[in-house]
Amino acid sequence: MSIQTKLPTGADLRAEIERLRKERNAVILAHYYQRPELQDLADFVGDSLELSRKAADTDADVIAFCGVKFMADTAKILSPDKIVVLPDMEAGCSLEDSCPPEKFKAFREAHPDHIALTYINCSTEVKALSDVIVTSSSAETIISQIPKEQKIIFGPDRHLGGYLNRKFGRDMLLWPGVCIVHEAFSERELLKLKEQYPDAPIAAHPECPPHIIDHADYVGSTSGILGYAKTMTADTLIVATEPHIIHQMEKAIPDKTFVGAPGADGNCNCNICPYMALNTMEKLYIALRDLQPRIEIEEGLRLAAKKSLDRMLGMASGTIGLGDLGRID
């Protein structure tokens, strides 16, 4: 049966997913940037590494990862004995696309005196070429442990790397990748929104460019921004990251107002991740039914990639999942 064949809909579709979840002994993961209906049926909702670690700790036989491919790959790296399916294998990432392994390898070879700190938003092959993987929640702790005289390559997100350079007085050599979602925010439109909500703080993801970060009251990962929303005293929060995180905010704090930061056209539509949007309830159903598309990673490559993840967990395990890069002073 193909996706074009008639599929269950509505309540029947959800019931079929529930049936398959039990039949397959599956755990369903949903990133904060997934559409609300996928978040609402997931066993765990969160940031990418946090989700992979939670899934690894379960006795599930199958991991259905509603996210993008590098996230599902990370789940497979940490859970090699589990079947990992991704509802749509075309769900990629602009950061991963910006950093082809062969070019990253050549870049490393051209700078042999540098170690490579690499953001988790990259391919398995690039993880295997890296010394330490970082997340937006662990980067601060990891960088603080590396001597100032040690030269560092940071990739693939130049905005996250630039933010860390400024905050810690480092001079990391930055790979020129960007997240197309966070790159789309408009400073002009953000300032207009701030005029409309003068008492509202701004929370921004560190993948945003400097002209957005400079206006932020808080900078952190998606889980960090969610935590900030729960503790802030203001009635309204302007959110500069992919707007589907607002679904979790509205569920957790229904008496407060959350406004997505606008793109250049004055609205948030351009800031919805087109890759995350490829996953649907129908595709999740098919993935659980057919156990396809399935993530497969050659064992030697998996072990090489796992080394850089293990180094991160060893250096900053206490910060993983906290998502906190700190308040802007």
Side-chain angles (χ1 to χ4, degrees):
M1 186 184 293
S2 69
I3 195 168
Q4 285 77 29
T5 306
K6 186 175 180 181
L7 297 173
T9 59
D12 290 339
L13 176 59
R14 181 159 185 140
E16 281 297 292
I17 291 172
E18 294 293 351
R19 178 184 66 80
L20 288 167
R21 184 194 332 235
K22 294 175 184 176
E23 186 177 296
R24 300 296 194 191
N25 187 28
V27 59
I28 299 174
L29 311 178
H31 191 269
Y32 287 127
Y33 295 168
Q34 289 294 287
R35 57 187 76 210
E37 59 267 29
L38 289 172
Q39 293 186 41
D40 288 345
L41 63 78
D43 295 289
F44 300 108
V45 180
D47 281 331
S48 61
L49 181 60
E50 175 189 6
L51 290 172
S52 292
R53 295 182 78 201
K54 285 181 176 178
D57 287 340
T58 71
D59 62 359
D61 297 313
V62 175
I63 299 172
F65 208 129
C66 298
V68 296
K69 187 175 182 298
F70 83 80
M71 297 178 182
D73 287 347
T74 301
K76 185 65 175 179
I77 291 169
L78 297 184
S79 299
D81 297 328
K82 298 183 191 296
I83 294 170
V84 179
V85 294
L86 181 67
D88 192 318
M89 200 62 80
E90 295 301 313
C93 171
S94 59
L95 284 168
E96 178 179 350
D97 293 345
S98 77
C99 192
E102 64 279 5
K103 291 186 178 180
F104 188 74
K105 183 174 185 290
F107 191 65
R108 287 221 61 185
E109 290 171 349
H111 301 91
D113 54 344
H114 289 60
I115 64 170
L117 297 190
T118 308
Y119 191 31
I120 197 168
N121 297 37
C122 65
S123 67
T124 302
E125 290 79 5
V126 168
K127 287 181 176 68
L129 292 166
S130 303
D131 294 297
V132 188
I133 295 300
V134 302
T135 63
S136 52
S137 57
S138 67
E140 178 176 337
T141 299
I142 288 171
I143 287 174
S144 68
Q145 295 175 53
I146 298 172
K148 284 274 185 138
E149 61 271 17
Q150 174 61 60
K151 295 180 179 179
I152 299 172
I153 288 170
F154 189 92
D157 192 317
R158 65 181 174 90
H159 291 320
L160 174 57
Y163 170 76
L164 294 167
N165 269 345
R166 295 189 300 276
K167 183 161 186 175
F168 292 97
R170 304 297 295 229
D171 188 26
M172 296 187 293
L173 186 59
L174 306 180
W175 186 268
V178 297
C179 168
I180 58 172
V181 172
H182 293 95
E183 181 85 345
F185 291 116
S186 164
E187 181 182 26
R188 181 189 64 213
E189 296 298 332
L190 179 63
L191 292 175
K192 287 182 183 177
L193 194 62
K194 186 66 176 175
E195 288 180 4
Q196 187 177 349
Y197 300 98
D199 297 325
I202 297 171
H205 195 284
E207 291 177 25
C208 291
H211 60 263
I212 300 298
I213 294 287
D214 288 347
H215 297 289
D217 299 279
Y218 173 86
V219 178
S221 77
T222 43
S223 58
I225 292 172
L226 179 59
Y228 176 75
K230 291 176 180 178
T231 59
M232 70 173 189
T233 57
D235 293 327
T236 302
L237 178 67
I238 297 171
V239 181
T241 191
E242 214 276 0
H244 283 115
I245 182 64
I246 292 175
H247 178 62
Q248 291 297 319
M249 294 175 176
E250 290 174 339
K251 287 175 66 175
I253 320 109
D255 58 328
K256 293 188 181 289
T257 300
F258 302 99
V259 183
D265 61 353
N267 64 56
C268 291
N269 293 338
C270 60
N271 300 327
I272 292 174
C273 177
Y275 301 105
M276 291 282 189
L278 290 174
N279 295 310
T280 65
M281 295 276 284
E282 291 79 8
K283 291 175 184 176
L284 173 61
Y285 162 73
I286 291 170
L288 287 170
R289 185 194 66 193
D290 300 345
L291 296 181
Q292 295 288 345
R294 191 179 300 196
I295 301 293
E296 303 287 359
I297 302 174
E298 188 273 325
E299 182 64 4
L301 174 61
R302 186 190 73 82
L303 291 172
K306 188 173 183 292
K307 283 183 180 179
S308 59
L309 283 166
D310 286 344
R311 288 192 189 105
M312 173 187 63
L313 295 172
M315 295 175 77
S317 59
T319 67
I320 303 302
L322 298 182
D324 188 2
L325 278 174
R327 192 182 299 266
I328 297 296
D329 296 325

